[in-house]
Amino acid sequence: MEESSGVVVEWAPEEETIDEEESTVTAVDEPAAPVERVVNFTGAIKEAGTRKPLADLEIFAIKGDAQASATTDREGRFAFENLAPGSYRVIIATTDHERLETEEEVIEGQRTQVKYYLEPRVYGGLEVVVHGRRLHKEVSRTVLKIDEARFVPGTGGDAAKVVDSLPGVARGGGGNNDGVLVMRGSNGEDSRITLDGHNIMSLYHFGGLKSTYNSLLLDSIELTPGGFSAKTGNATGGVVELKSRAPRRDRFGGFADLSLIDASVMLEGPIGDKASFALGARRSTFDVVMMGADLDEKIDGLRFTQYPAYYDYQGKLHFSPAPKHELVLDVYGMYDS
């Protein structure tokens, strides 16, 4: 640096330029995991009177600011996927049929199935207008959670007996058919009763006194009186589906019950961090109480010719070796005499 006439001049050597090869790193996003497609609201649309399937109709499901739509196929069927649980306003508007507007409830983990019948719209000629006519629709499946079914009057705490109170279901009349379910007038053998997808012989013990599976080990009961899939076999009447729950893992629990009809016991709890178990058994006591009575003698004015005797048992092991992997072992049996 030199100083002259009050002017300061700064000098610096020119920086040497070094060319360096530029390297560019581009971050590549990993592909997102595919979203599981779950159909939880489905049904069919037909013309009232002719029951002709209505194709290429657009149906809207509206919940607040959210709106979803679907189009019917040649058979008049439609399906919505991954609808959030809640109440939806369903709207169907066409030029050839009267506008339909109704409410449907979508419940998490369940599929809502419906049938809608649209009234043909009349142009010209004689037109009859009926005010306040009730919407004609059919819901082909009834789902009851066990906590709700246990408190239905007439079940005596046995949640499976709620099936008798559902529309389209009656009990077989008399004798050994007392525990048989009659759905929509069909024979008892034309209907199917399943437990976690497997057919079982009967929903009730002799006389329909108690169900054959401990209802406290169930999660839900589903009644499908029509429109069920072919996986249930040769059923033509209806299908009752019992779905069991996983045993509790937070702590041990159970119960014991004794009455003049039967005695039952259940125990459930965790096995380590990845497994849990449940054991249950029930045995009739009426035959034991009356064992010493003479069948030929009257007891309080009643003459007994036979005593119902039955038992059932349940065993369930639930094991989760890894996330999203489950191994379930379910053992059960029943006996009537």
Side-chain angles (χ1 to χ4, degrees):
M1 180 174 61
E2 298 179 356
E3 184 176 355
S4 174
S5 303
V7 179
V8 178
V9 180
E10 293 185 356
W11 173 86
E14 184 178 355
E15 294 184 354
E16 183 178 0
T17 303
I18 302 176
D19 293 333
E20 296 182 357
E21 183 178 355
E22 296 183 356
S23 61
T24 304
V25 179
T26 303
V28 179
D29 295 335
E30 295 183 0
V35 179
E36 183 180 2
R37 299 173 61 184
V38 178
V39 176
N40 52 2
F41 178 30
T42 182
I45 303 176
K46 297 184 179 182
E47 186 177 70
T50 65
R51 303 180 74 88
K52 179 181 68 176
L54 300 178
D56 299 324
L57 293 186
E58 192 169 17
I59 176 172
F60 296 91
I62 303 173
K63 176 187 175 186
D65 297 331
Q67 174 178 299
S69 65
T71 304
T72 57
D73 61 11
R74 291 185 303 175
E75 301 297 327
R77 296 171 299 191
F78 66 89
F80 287 91
E81 297 179 351
N82 300 333
L83 288 183
S87 180
Y88 284 83
R89 187 160 59 100
V90 178
I91 299 177
I92 306 173
T94 72
T95 57
D96 298 328
H97 298 83
E98 298 294 336
R99 174 188 174 95
L100 182 148
E101 185 170 344
T102 183
E103 296 282 338
E104 299 293 350
E105 189 76 17
V106 175
I107 303 175
E108 184 175 1
Q110 300 177 15
R111 176 183 295 183
T112 300
Q113 294 181 321
V114 298
K115 282 185 181 179
Y116 297 132
Y117 294 88
L118 301 188
E119 296 286 345
R121 181 172 293 178
V122 180
Y123 295 97
L126 177 63
E127 179 178 355
V128 179
V129 180
V130 180
H131 295 279
R133 182 170 182 175
R134 188 174 182 179
L135 173 66
H136 183 194
K137 64 178 183 178
E138 294 180 3
V139 179
S140 60
R141 170 167 293 189
T142 302
V143 181
L144 291 175
K145 302 297 286 186
I146 291 302
D147 291 340
E148 174 186 357
R150 287 177 58 198
F151 296 101
V152 173
T155 62
D158 191 348
K161 296 182 70 174
V162 74
V163 176
D164 291 346
S165 304
L166 298 179
V169 181
R171 185 80 67 79
N176 295 330
N177 293 325
D178 235 5
V180 175
L181 293 178
V182 177
M183 301 188 193
R184 291 189 173 180
S186 62
N187 293 327
E189 59 269 19
D190 293 333
S191 299
R192 293 291 179 270
I193 302 168
T194 66
L195 173 63
D196 294 332
H198 300 277
N199 289 336
I200 60 176
M201 294 179 58
S202 175
L203 182 60
Y204 301 119
H205 281 297
F206 174 84
L209 295 175
K210 288 292 182 69
S211 60
T212 57
Y213 195 88
N214 194 325
S215 60
L216 292 182
L217 290 176
L218 294 177
D219 178 66
S220 65
I221 300 174
E222 299 183 8
L223 169 66
T224 309
F228 42 82
S229 66
K231 68 180 181 180
T232 54
N234 295 325
T236 58
V239 176
V240 176
E241 299 181 63
L242 307 179
K243 295 186 177 181
S244 64
R245 63 173 176 85
R248 63 189 309 167
R249 291 189 177 181
D250 55 343
R251 57 187 175 86
F252 288 93
F255 77 93
D257 179 67
L258 176 63
S259 69
L260 291 177
I261 298 178
D262 57 28
S264 57
V265 63
M266 189 192 78
L267 177 66
E268 62 178 330
I271 304 177
D273 297 330
K274 297 183 178 181
S276 58
F277 78 97
L279 297 173
R282 175 165 42 201
R283 208 289 189 190
S284 60
T285 55
F286 185 75
D287 58 312
V288 178
V289 173
M290 303 302 297
M291 188 177 297
D294 188 348
L295 293 180
D296 295 329
E297 294 182 0
K298 289 186 177 181
I299 303 175
D300 293 335
L302 299 177
R303 184 182 300 277
F304 292 90
T305 58
Q306 59 183 356
Y307 302 135
Y310 58 85
Y311 66 79
D312 59 67
Y313 58 87
Q314 303 85 31
K316 193 174 185 70
L317 177 64
H318 195 277
F319 178 54
S320 301
K324 298 184 179 180
H325 291 76
E326 294 182 348
L327 176 64
V328 179
L329 176 63
D330 202 350
V331 179
Y332 53 89
M334 55 89 70
Y335 174 81
D336 285 355
S337 174

